[in-house]
C-alpha cells in the first residue's frame, strides 16, 4: 500500500499542476475577452434599443428592385473580373516568390530573406489600403482594384505556397538529385508535380476571398458592385441596395460551388 501511494504521488502532482495550468489559462482568456469588451465599448443594450431603426431600413428595402438587373450586369461582371485578375496575377507572381521563400528550395539565404520580406509587406498592408494607393496613381475604376487584389494575393498566396513547398515530400527531389538531374529538371519533375494539387486548391480558395474583397474595394472607387452599392446607399435607394445584396449572394454562392467542384477534380 505504501509503495502504491508513493508511485501515485508523482501522478497526482502532475495532474494537479495541469489542472492549475488549465484554470490559469481559462482565467487569462477571460481577462483578455473582458478587456476587449471594454476597449470596443460593447453595449448590447444599445443594439436592443436601436433594433427598430434596423427594422425600418429592412422594411424600406423590401421588395428588392429587380428592375435594376440589367444596369447591374456590368458592375457584377467587373466584380468577377476583379477577382479573376487579382487571383491569376497573384498566382503568377507568388509562385516564384514562394520557391525563393521556402527554406528547402531557396538558392541562398539572402534570396530567402528578401522573398520573405516582400511577401510579408504585400500581406501586411490591407487590400483596401493598396486600392487607395493605386486609385491615387491610376485614377478611379476597376484597374486599381484589380492591382490591389493582385498585390495582396501575392502576400497571402506566397506565404501559403511556401508552406506547402516546405512540407512536401523531399524523396523524389533527392532521388532526382542523386541521378545528376539539373536544378530545372528537379523543379519540373519533382517539385511541381508534388505541390500542384495543393497550390490549385489554395488558389481557388483565394479566388473566393478576392470575390468578397472586390465588393469592399468598390467603396473606394475601384468599380464593381461595391461602387454601385455605395452609390445606392448614399441616395437612400434601399430597394436597389437589397437587390444588389441578393445579387452579391448569388455571385458568392456560385463562386463557392464552382470552387468546390474544381477542387474536387484536382484533389
Amino acid at each position: 500500500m505504501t509503495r502504491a501511494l508513493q508511485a501515485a504521488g508523482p501522478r497526482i502532482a502532475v495532474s494537479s499542476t495541469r489542472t492549475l495550468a488549465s484554470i490559469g489559462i481559462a482565467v487569462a482568456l477571460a481577462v483578455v475577452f473582458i478587456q476587449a469588451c471594454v476597449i470596443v465599448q460593447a453595449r448590447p443594450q444599445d443594439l436592443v434599443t436601436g433594433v427598430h431603426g434596423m427594422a425600418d431600413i429592412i422594411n424600406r428595402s423590401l421588395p428588392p428592385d429587380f428592375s435594376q438587373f440589367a444596369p447591374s450586369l456590368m458592375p457584377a461582371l467587373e466584380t468577377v473580373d476583379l477577382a479573376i485578375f487579382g487571383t491569376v496575377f497573384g498566382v503568377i507572381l507568388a509562385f516564384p516568390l514562394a520557391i525563393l521563400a521556402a527554406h528547402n528550395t531557396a538558392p541562398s539565404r539572402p534570396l530567402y530573406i528578401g522573398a520573405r520580406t516582400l511577401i510579408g509587406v504585400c500581406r501586411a498592408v490591407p487590400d483596401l489600403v493598396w486600392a487607395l494607393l493605386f486609385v491615387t496613381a491610376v485614377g478611379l475604376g476597376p484597374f486599381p482594384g484589380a492591382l490591389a487584389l493582385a498585390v495582396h494575393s501575392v502576400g497571402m498566396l506566397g506565404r501559403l505556397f511556401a508552406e506547402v513547398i516546405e512540407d512536401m515530400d523531399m524523396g523524389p527531389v533527392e532521388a532526382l538529385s542523386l541521378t545528376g538531374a539539373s536544378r530545372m529538371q528537379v523543379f519540373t519533375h519533382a517539385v511541381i508535380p508534388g505541390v500542384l494539387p495543393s497550390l490549385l486548391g489554395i488558389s481557388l480558395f483565394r479566388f473566393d476571398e478576392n470575390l468578397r474583397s472586390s465588393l469592399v474595394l468598390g467603396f473606394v472607387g475601384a468599380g464593381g458592385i461595391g461602387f454601385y452599392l455605395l452609390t445606392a446607399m448614399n441616395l437612400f435607394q434601399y430597394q436597389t441596395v437589397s437587390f444588389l445584396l441578393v445579387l452579391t449572394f448569388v455571385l458568392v454562392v456560385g463562386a463557392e460551388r464552382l470552387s468546390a467542384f474544381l477542387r474536387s477534380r484536382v484533389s
Side-chain angles (χ1 to χ4, degrees):
M1 180 67 71
T2 303
R3 291 181 179 178
L5 290 174
Q6 290 176 348
R11 291 196 297 269
I12 295 174
V14 171
S15 177
S16 299
T17 301
R18 291 178 178 175
T19 301
L20 291 175
S22 299
I23 294 174
I25 293 173
V27 172
L29 291 176
V31 171
V32 170
F33 176 73
I34 292 173
Q35 70 85 28
C37 292
V38 173
I39 294 299
V40 303
Q41 301 179 14
R43 297 187 299 273
Q45 68 277 8
D46 290 354
L47 184 61
V48 174
T49 56
V51 70
H52 65 278
M54 294 188 295
D56 178 62
I57 291 179
I58 294 174
N59 183 58
R60 285 190 284 172
S61 300
L62 298 175
D65 186 5
F66 287 95
S67 66
Q68 297 296 321
F69 177 77
S72 64
L73 286 179
M74 183 55 68
L77 180 61
E78 281 186 358
T79 297
V80 175
D81 287 342
L82 282 169
I84 293 174
F85 182 97
T87 304
V88 171
F89 272 84
V91 170
I92 292 173
L93 298 175
F95 185 66
L97 274 177
I99 298 295
L100 300 176
H103 65 78
N104 54 342
T105 57
S108 65
R109 184 68 179 176
L111 287 176
Y112 172 83
I113 296 175
R116 282 283 179 175
T117 301
L118 182 57
I119 288 173
V121 171
C122 293
R123 187 178 70 253
V125 179
D127 48 13
L128 192 62
V129 176
W130 284 119
L132 289 171
L133 291 175
F134 285 123
V135 163
T136 59
V138 301
L140 299 175
F143 187 47
L147 292 174
L149 289 177
V151 173
H152 195 255
S153 294
V154 168
M156 299 303 297
L157 292 175
R159 177 188 176 185
L160 296 175
F161 285 1
E163 291 178 354
V164 169
I165 294 171
E166 289 178 343
D167 293 337
M168 73 177 184
D169 182 13
M170 293 299 293
V173 176
E174 294 172 354
L176 281 177
S177 298
L178 290 175
T179 62
S182 65
R183 182 181 292 272
M184 182 58 65
Q185 289 173 328
V186 171
F187 178 73
T188 56
H189 291 81
V191 176
I192 292 181
V195 300
L196 186 59
S198 297
L199 298 189
L200 289 175
I202 292 172
S203 300
L204 291 172
F205 274 120
R206 186 60 195 175
F207 173 75
D208 287 349
E209 294 296 325
N210 281 341
L211 183 62
R212 294 174 177 85
S213 297
S214 64
L215 300 171
V216 180
L217 295 183
F219 282 26
V220 295
I225 291 181
F227 184 73
Y228 195 17
L229 180 63
L230 179 64
T231 301
M233 292 176 64
N234 289 335
L235 296 176
F236 305 105
Q237 298 173 347
Y238 294 115
Q239 290 180 316
T240 299
V241 170
S242 63
F243 168 75
L244 293 175
L245 293 177
V246 170
L247 182 59
T248 300
F249 173 78
V250 172
L251 288 177
V252 170
V253 172
E256 288 179 350
R257 293 297 88 207
L258 178 61
S259 178
F261 172 76
L262 293 176
R263 285 196 303 271
S264 67
R265 294 296 181 181
V266 300
S267 60

